[in-house]
Amino acid sequence: MEIYLVGGAIRDRLLGLPVKERDWVVVGGSVAAMEDQGYRQVGRDFPVFLHPETGEEYALARTERRSGPGHRGFAVHAGAEVTLEQDLLRRDLTVNAMAEAADGQLIDPFGGQADLEARILRHVSPAFAEDPLRVFRVARFAAKLTDFQVAPETLELMREIAAEHRLSELSAERVWIELEKALAADAPGRFFEVLQQADALFPWFAEFARVLPVVPVSLAGIEQRYAAMTAVLEPDACSAFGERIKAPRRHCALALAVLQYRDVLTCWRDSPAEDVYQALVSVRGFNPDSVLAALLEVLEMLHDVDLADLLQAVRDVTRTVTAGPLRSRGLAGAALGAALARARIDAIAALQRTPMA
């Protein structure tokens, strides 16, 4: 058996980027031979194994042939006779189709290193078109590798895939994974720019066809970046998009809160105290598990305002206006809830009249 380091680890090392994970391909191996050496098989669709000590993934060299629709519609063959070049040929982009031998020799049959130097994202072969998910992968790599351009011939192939309506074959789970990785990248907006260039916003990102999203990279969390991304939509469109792509529930809740409460919260000192209170209640602002801090962070970035005083105001009200004294007056149930609400509204009103520091 011969073992090679492949894919992203080589690409990132050549670019001087941190290598976060390493993938390996095994040429001339078999399931029995891998298991005899202590590897544990985990792949269902094709033989993938975990190293007994490092836990890194080792896959038998394989070929793929399209056999049906969707991301999983491939006939996979992993045999001892499959060569390294055949395995690399099935990969998406030339910059991801390089391998490194045990002695450090770089194996680059499709010009990946030259494309790295030229800052080009180029497909390896026409087989690129067999997997529609690769349209989103290219857009995601454009978001990660911010100074790379998509090769014209690759962009044309992406347009053909979109024109054939094959993007609808994909599952929401797979599309979400690519979007999530794009949101974590250095230039999330490029994901949408490339999809627009490839006429590939439909059907998954149809809501953004009119206005491309703006995602401030100063927002560190994926949840906040998702909320900023959807801030160009109306609330109904935001909800429909989240349901279609099966975004996490907490992401969707924060995104909707940005749209529903941005006016009252960004101008909280000039808004009716009752409206500010209701907005805070809606996002559980007086509870420890509130999304309020994340919500205000997004609003600050999108609207260039400083809402630190509002966050401090909520903390002050939460600490000073509690149910205990009201209970001591004999209030309970609905009467207690109404009195607590009134006291907090009055406290917010008083803080609104306090001059800013």
Side-chain angles (χ1 to χ4, degrees), residues 45-47 61-79 82 90 130-131:
D45 300 326
F46 49 85
R62 66 186 187 271
T63 60
E64 295 175 348
R65 179 175 53 81
R66 184 170 175 82
S67 59
H71 179 67
R72 297 184 179 276
F74 290 88
V76 177
H77 173 67
V82 178
R90 67 175 178 78
E130 294 182 353
D131 185 357

Side-chain angles (χ1 to χ4, degrees), residues 193-333:
E193 291 170 6
V194 170
L195 292 183
Q196 184 184 58
Q197 292 167 12
D199 300 326
L201 288 169
F202 294 87
W204 294 101
F205 301 98
E207 288 85 354
F208 301 101
R210 186 174 61 85
V211 180
L212 293 183
V214 176
V215 185
V217 294
S218 53
L219 294 171
I222 300 299
E223 186 178 332
Q224 290 94 319
R225 289 187 176 194
Y226 176 87
M229 177 192 79
T230 54
V232 298
L233 305 177
E234 296 298 324
D236 288 348
C238 177
S239 297
F241 172 72
E243 290 177 8
R244 180 188 318 120
I245 206 165
K246 295 186 178 179
R249 190 170 300 175
R250 188 174 174 89
H251 290 46
C252 293
L254 178 60
L256 202 56
V258 167
L259 295 172
Q260 292 175 325
Y261 306 120
R262 57 185 169 192
D263 292 339
V264 67
L265 293 182
T266 54
C267 302
W268 76 278
R269 286 182 173 273
D270 300 317
S271 300
E274 290 83 355
D275 293 351
V276 176
Y277 173 77
Q278 290 300 330
L280 295 173
V281 169
S282 296
V283 298
R284 297 172 55 87
F286 300 103
N287 295 67
D289 62 346
S290 169
V291 299
L292 180 62
L295 170 59
L296 297 185
E297 182 185 4
V298 175
L299 292 176
E300 285 183 332
M301 291 300 102
L302 291 178
H303 299 283
D304 193 24
V305 294
D306 184 354
L307 297 175
D309 58 342
L310 174 56
L311 186 60
Q312 187 58 49
V314 173
R315 289 170 176 167
D316 290 344
V317 170
T318 303
R319 184 183 69 255
T320 60
V321 184
T322 61
L326 298 173
R327 287 195 183 96
S328 67
R329 289 162 44 191
L331 296 175

Side-chain angles (χ1 to χ4, degrees), residues 10 18 35 60 86 104 133 180 188 194 216 238 241 265 270 303 354:
I10 298 172
E35 291 178 341
L60 296 184
Q86 286 176 314
L133 185 65
E180 185 177 37
V194 170
C238 177
F241 172 72
L265 293 182
D270 300 317
H303 299 283
T354 303

Side-chain angles (χ1 to χ4, degrees), residues 46-59:
F46 49 85
V48 176
F49 303 82
L50 297 182
H51 191 282
E53 296 178 1
T54 66
E56 293 177 333
E57 289 190 356
Y58 287 67

